[in-house]
Amino acid sequence: ILKHLERITSFGPRTVGSPENEITTVNYLLDQIEQIRTESQTGPHSISVDVQRPTGSFSIDFLGGFTSYYDRVTNIAVKLEPKTTAQHFMLANCHFDSVANSLGASDDAVSCSVMLEVLHSLANLSTPLKHGIIFLFNGAEENILQASHGFITQHPWAQQVRAFVNLEAAGVGGKEVVFQTGPENPWLVQAYVRAAVHPFASVVGQEVFQSGVIPSDTDFRIYRDFGKIPGIDLAFIENGFIYHTKYDTPERIHTDSIQRAGDNILSVLKHLVMSDELADSSAYRHGNMVFFDLLGVTVVAYPARVGTIINYMAAVATVIYLGKKSMLTSNAGGRYMRDLACAACVAVLSWFVTLLTVLIVALLVTLAGRSMFWYTHFYAAVCLYGSAAVGKILLIHTLARNLYYGGVSGVDLSERFFDVSLLLWCCVLLFLTQRGLCSAYVPMMMVVFPLASKLLLTKHFRYCVLYLTGLAVPYVHIMFLIWVVFEIFTPILGRSGTEIPPDVVLASLVTLATIILSSYFMHFIYLSCSTRRILAGLGSVFVLMFVLVCCGLFFPYSADPSSPRPKRIFVQHSTRVLHALDGTVERSDSGLWINSLDYSGMQHITPHIPQINDSIRTRCSEQLPYCGFPWFLPVKFLVKKSWYLPAPEVSPEAPLQFRLLSRQDTEWGTVKMSFEAKGPSHMSLYLRPHAGASLMGWSFGDGMPRFDLSGEYFVFYSHGLDAPAWSFWFEIQVNAPPDEGLISLAVSSHYFFGPDRRSEPLEALLKRFPAWAFPSSWVSTYHMYRY
């Protein structure tokens, strides 16, 4: 596996359309597959290979929604089946392309290396497989899932695929986690749990990922939505700080991680292709699965309908436990209900005030210009926001004990606040269960285990050991989930754009974790003699950390080779040409267009490159398609702050050729225009109908324009080798003829490889960036026309 990984990454970045991706890597993979085929000829299996170069288009609701068009991208499909042939196939998918400025070792060369070895192992089995496997090495995933769409919608083998396993990465190395399954088809999760040598899975991750909170997507979506087949999505998640950067190199992926992945994929595929379920997966489609990992040792999985029953039984047990107390004789029952309601209000109030306080601290840090101080020093965020959250909860309950509950015994108060915790977790359990979320198993554990341990106690909380033992299982699992959440979200906050204050997000996550972990411990406050020393200690930690943070002691980024934390920046040397309605050039300029992918903008870059300051900040030109800049993807709502440094005009060897082929008025009162574009392998098309005109149809996808983003449409285009000129048309409904024409159309071209990718001004600027910055750079053009 290491040999394959080092060889593939030695070809350099592998962007779609580049010789490295379309020729060098393809030839290497074909050579290795041919060696495997030759070696296994005497065995019970046959291997067929097909190089597919599909053309197509589709619309996808990702990043606000856009349309994608691809032309002659590359797929290498390998069919492994018994020599007696097979009717049903598993699909194993990886992608060998990478983003423009990265070797893509973890994303996704290592997965393709693992697949080559799995293919080798299965091809040389002495016992024939019951079903077949299609290994798809797809060459256009980083272009927003294009090659997988080309395979599943156009390749003849796709009709025989019954389920799939997708191998991906959102980090570099570590354990590969199952973070998506289905839709429905619980037999797939059960197969993974039974077969995986080192199982690692979380339904919480699945529901968080599918909620859209994480700005990412995988080929899983294409196979699920366009192929209508169920599958499993696995990904490396550790060290996402260097994902899609120059640091994603083979030596950073531990051998143990590669061995784990290989063992798991081989075992799971072998199990699935020998199973009866694969032949008729629809017969086993009966709802979702609850699945979760227990400290990386084993995975628990059961059908969601069973989970619903368990959840309601836990809720009923809670109601019975609390109901017995509320039905006491005389006025005791009514008094208990009133006391419980008041205590619940105190708990909820403490959480609300704590969240508000910590958010104020996060805003103060942000306003002080110290945002993302925790990016390299995560412990600093725990000390600052964690001490504020714990201290605030402790303070409010201490005040409640001293000022409101002065005459009530500590034992009675601790009993009451235990019941409050149980009640509130039960409410969360019922809410998530009603919403049909499998993640409801988490509050279920937080109800069942504490309640069981409480019922076993005979004298209130005197036997603390037994009580803490009952909390151990849910708390250890929740702490493990919290670790996974921070492992994923902390790196993402370094590439989530300039509009979302990351300290607010991280402070909210730290506060939420504190509230969850403190829920069954807050009643100990009422048993303690004094909390003064604890509050003083927490206050001291908070004040010290706040002063150190505001003084700038914690720098966000690091160029440490052993643990880099790079600042991500996009730099394009671009020329813009704007045409008037009569076709003449209205305005043109050239410059270095700079985007920060995180909230701190250029404040840390300016001391190194003084020219990049707010004097060259740009604003969105609302009258121009996509603000008048060459956006590669439709992320202008995430990255609104940008800088434009004047520079000489770019002169690529293969300049964009764009022309209007025809314009005709149709009998339905619409205007149909046809165009042709010839340019680099990556282009973006922006359409902005003017007031009084609307886009009615086009040549992309199913013919219906989709995902109108504030009156604009975004079309992403890429092509492989030897692609013809890009021809397309659209149709406009004219309601009232606008003075400035019907539509503004802009085409941006992006040069990601070859001599056109570089320019002298760009190279000179890149050399001035500090070592801890990772500028992803290329040359681009932007041409705007009005019709």
Side-chain angles (χ1 to χ4, degrees), residues 17-18 21 39 71 88 99 103 181 211 272 441 458 472 604 699 735:
S18 68
N21 191 68
E39 183 182 330
D71 195 358
H88 311 287
V99 292
L103 295 180
T181 64
S211 71
L272 287 168
Y441 84 87
T458 54
H604 300 295
S699 55
N735 302 317

Side-chain angles (χ1 to χ4, degrees), residues 748-761:
S748 66
S749 53
H750 302 271
Y751 298 87
F752 284 130
F753 57 87
D756 285 344
R757 179 189 170 192
R758 296 295 186 191
S759 70
E760 289 185 11

Side-chain angles (χ1 to χ4, degrees), residues 79 129 132 340 344 353 423 502 530 606 611 615:
K79 181 192 283 188
L129 300 173
L340 186 66
V353 173
L423 174 64
S530 174
T606 300
Q611 293 91 331
S615 68

Side-chain angles (χ1 to χ4, degrees), residues 688-704:
R688 185 183 182 88
H690 296 173
S694 55
L695 200 61
M696 299 301 294
W698 59 12
S699 55
F700 307 118
D702 61 3
M704 293 297 295

